[in-house]
Amino acid sequence: MTRQRRLPTLLVAIAAAAGLFIALPAAAPAEPDAAQPEVTASPGAGPARITGPIPQRARPGDPSHDYIFYSTPLDLRRVGHVEQEFFISGTATRYPSNPTADEQRQTAQPIGSTPYTTRIVVRRPAHPGRSAGTAVVDWQNVTAGHDIDTEWGTSGDYFVRHGWTWVGASVQRVGVNGATTGATANLGLRQWNPTRYGALDLTNGGTLLDDTQSFDVYTQIADLLKGRDRRNPLADLRISKVYAGGASQSGRFLGVYYNTVQPIRHVYDGFLLAIGDSALPPRTEVGTKVFRVFTENDVYRGAAVPSRVAPDSDTLRTWHIAGASHVPAYATGTDQNDFRATLGGIRDREYGPAAPRECVNPGPSEVTSWPVFHAAYEALDNWVRRGVPPRRAKPLAIVDPTPPANLLRDANGLAEGGIRLPDVEVPGALNDGINAPANLDNPLNQFCVLYGTHRDFTAEQLRTLYYSGDDYRDQVRDVVERLETLRFLLPEDSHVFLRQRL
């Protein structure tokens, strides 16, 4: 959805949520699936059984909840994709899910096994001939007490444009069985629709209350995607490259996976750790290409402490996005037809309106950070498939990395260094990574620390920066061209910034 805000007397800028996918209109609600029998098969690779596609008998938002949880509002049919849900079952080897930094310096040691049944959501080309042979397995984020498909919210339009398959992986206990205490309790799939999802279980009947099963379930999903058995309903996609993707808490799990499990299985061909990773940086001896993309907010909160920093290498790239926040404004938008609104409109569709957060500063940051993740996925793919190293990015200018980190800032309060999108390099507002809860009357106010700040500049500030609206637009155009040359911004995404006008 395109949302505009007026800057005083001079500019009308597109806000951070402005990420149309090729100017698509708002999607109509998905039609319920036609009645069809559920098929259970042994796919020959990965999980022991796969069942589906699981029919949707209601439109997204229907009170019955008899549809795919977090079903995307993006008009997939119009862009030649389909959304399907499958249940998978098997036995997972258990590995320590919260190892120390020392334990992450060696491969994981099995600590047992457990049966499991969970789900995957697949958004794929409808016609196999349009498949690029590439899949991203999104480790569903469960910090809010339920699955959130963060990688789809930032890059779903990139995936469909390029014929990639996105797979949402429900591998953590909280997402399936629900948290048992706290403000985010009882929001799991089984509570959201006990009929549709009651057969799912990642706790072995309530006896296993950690995430030691998660790593091997995640491995088995990649095995499934690469499988060629005729009983595998995804074999027609002929997936050859599978990338691991996840954000925030999921990025932490993937950082642990990279260091401890990837050396054992090597089933993932590349990793994108978005706005989060483990306490130990990726180990060079693992050898798999890995990208880390941090916002200013992540650096402010500790992502640049020496123990977590590693230099760019033949296998590692780290990018910082100046001015951006861990939770971006586009993710919190209220439009239920905006596929990026994973923490706003889509969440409200599933659970009803949430109480507003009360933060010290207005926020979140409105830096339009998602195009950088598109560029990172493209760079990762070129690195893996063609051996083309990604561009090295200048890090944020850090005076003291100890959280809360002290960053070098210009006269307008904007952080120096990092990947500088037009929102920061040609600013109409202060966007930074700093915020805090105003109070804890609402326990969810604690998430304000992830929001960052957004404050429009005054008319007087704008006059000191730009001679005119034309001057502003010319500067934006120059920055866009420079970012495109450096491949920190893809030409297909530059319209987001070039549409800014008087």
Side-chain angles (χ1 to χ4, degrees):
M1 175 186 178
T2 299
R3 177 169 59 87
Q4 294 183 336
R5 58 182 172 82
R6 184 168 300 278
L7 294 175
T9 72
L10 180 61
L11 308 172
V12 174
I14 292 182
L20 280 178
F21 170 67
I22 315 179
L24 287 180
E31 293 290 343
D33 295 337
Q36 56 180 327
E38 296 177 10
V39 176
T40 299
S42 299
R49 293 175 302 281
I50 183 169
T51 300
I54 307 301
Q56 292 198 109
R57 297 181 177 86
R59 296 171 182 262
D62 187 88
S64 71
H65 288 179
D66 198 0
Y67 58 88
I68 298 172
F69 178 76
Y70 256 57
S71 177
T72 184
L74 188 64
D75 192 347
L76 293 180
R77 181 168 53 185
R78 180 168 178 176
V79 295
H81 266 56
V82 295
E83 179 179 66
Q84 299 172 322
E85 184 174 55
F86 297 90
F87 294 167
I88 57 174
S89 301
T91 299
T93 300
R94 296 173 58 211
Y95 297 105
S97 57
N98 194 30
T100 66
D102 285 340
E103 290 171 332
Q104 289 184 52
R105 293 186 173 93
Q106 55 191 330
T107 56
Q109 300 300 309
I111 56 174
S113 63
T114 184
Y116 75 89
T117 299
T118 190
R119 66 148 194 172
I120 57 173
V121 179
V122 179
R123 296 169 189 152
R124 51 159 290 175
H127 301 291
R130 297 187 60 187
S131 171
T134 304
V136 171
V137 182
D138 189 346
W139 185 302
Q140 299 275 267
N141 183 284
V142 300
T143 301
H146 55 82
D147 282 353
I148 304 170
D149 42 6
T150 53
E151 295 306 284
W152 180 263
T154 56
S155 301
D157 47 345
Y158 176 87
F159 300 151
V160 299
R161 269 200 298 260
H162 295 275
W164 290 22
T165 294
W166 173 90
V167 178
S170 298
V171 298
Q172 286 187 249
R173 170 185 61 87
V174 166
V176 171
N177 293 79
T180 55
T181 60
T184 61
N186 300 314
L187 300 177
L189 293 169
R190 287 167 56 103
Q191 290 86 24
W192 187 77
N193 187 335
T195 301
R196 184 178 183 90
Y197 294 121
L200 307 186
D201 182 27
L202 290 175
T203 69
N204 192 17
T207 63
L208 187 67
L209 299 180
D210 54 29
D211 285 311
T212 52
Q213 81 295 327
S214 61
F215 295 131
D216 195 40
V217 175
Y218 193 72
T219 298
Q220 291 184 33
I221 292 169
D223 283 332
L224 172 70
L225 290 169
K226 290 183 173 180
R228 294 290 187 267
D229 193 284
R230 61 181 178 80
R231 295 163 295 180
N232 181 344
L234 304 176
D236 61 335
L237 292 166
R238 305 195 66 79
I239 300 295
S240 61
K241 299 298 181 187
V242 180
Y243 300 136
S248 192
Q249 179 187 166
S250 300
R252 187 199 76 81
F253 272 91
L254 286 181
V256 174
Y257 183 102
Y258 182 92
N259 285 331
T260 65
V261 180
Q262 178 71 1
I264 302 171
R265 295 299 309 274
H266 279 288
V267 69
Y268 283 93
D269 300 285
F271 286 70
L272 198 153
L273 312 181
I275 60 176
D277 66 349
S278 63
L280 184 73
R283 296 194 293 141
T284 56
E285 56 265 38
V286 175
T288 306
K289 310 299 187 190
V290 55
F291 239 105
R292 299 191 299 174
V293 181
F294 295 126
T295 67
E296 178 185 318
N297 175 261
D298 303 304
V299 173
Y300 175 77
R301 292 182 302 107
V305 296
S307 63
R308 294 179 60 182
V309 173
D312 285 348
S313 68
D314 291 341
T315 57
L316 173 65
R317 284 293 184 276
T318 301
W319 288 357
H320 295 166
I321 310 175
S325 59
H326 189 92
V327 172
Y330 55 79
T332 63
T334 59
D335 184 359
Q336 295 185 7
N337 288 320
D338 182 354
F339 76 97
R340 298 197 200 282
T342 53
L343 297 175
I346 299 174
R347 186 266 173 213
D348 291 350
R349 184 191 73 190
E350 310 301 37
Y351 293 105
R357 307 286 187 269
E358 295 181 59
C359 305
V360 171
N361 300 329
S365 164
E366 292 192 4
V367 169
T368 314
S369 56
W370 57 259
V372 177
F373 292 95
H374 291 194
Y377 270 114
E378 179 155 297
L380 177 64
D381 192 47
N382 286 332
W383 203 9
V384 170
R385 289 187 178 273
R386 302 174 182 87
V388 179
R391 181 78 64 169
R392 297 174 189 262
K394 185 178 181 180
L396 286 166
I398 302 169
V399 179
D400 181 359
T402 305
N406 182 14
L407 305 182
L408 188 64
R409 298 185 180 277
D410 66 15
N412 293 307
L414 295 161
E416 300 279 11
I419 294 176
R420 306 180 66 75
L421 294 164
D423 301 318
V424 170
E425 190 70 355
V426 192
L430 169 66
N431 287 290
D432 66 27
I434 303 170
N435 214 329
N439 57 64
L440 292 180
D441 296 343
N442 176 359
L444 298 181
N445 287 351
Q446 63 184 309
F447 292 117
C448 289
V449 299
L450 308 177
Y451 273 35
T453 298
H454 173 88
R455 285 192 179 95
D456 286 339
F457 287 163
T458 66
E460 182 178 354
Q461 286 176 293
L462 292 169
R463 282 193 294 269
T464 66
L465 293 171
Y466 311 110
Y467 295 117
S468 65
D470 287 342
D471 176 36
Y472 169 78
R473 290 193 301 274
D474 287 344
Q475 292 191 43
V476 168
R477 190 176 300 107
D478 290 344
V479 172
V480 166
E481 290 176 357
R482 183 164 67 250
L483 291 170
E484 287 180 355
T485 299
L486 295 172
R487 302 304 291 179
F488 297 143
L489 174 65
L490 304 181
E492 65 198 49
D493 293 326
S494 61
H495 68 277
V496 175
F497 304 105
L498 295 176
R499 283 179 177 167
Q500 298 185 27
R501 63 186 186 273
L502 282 174

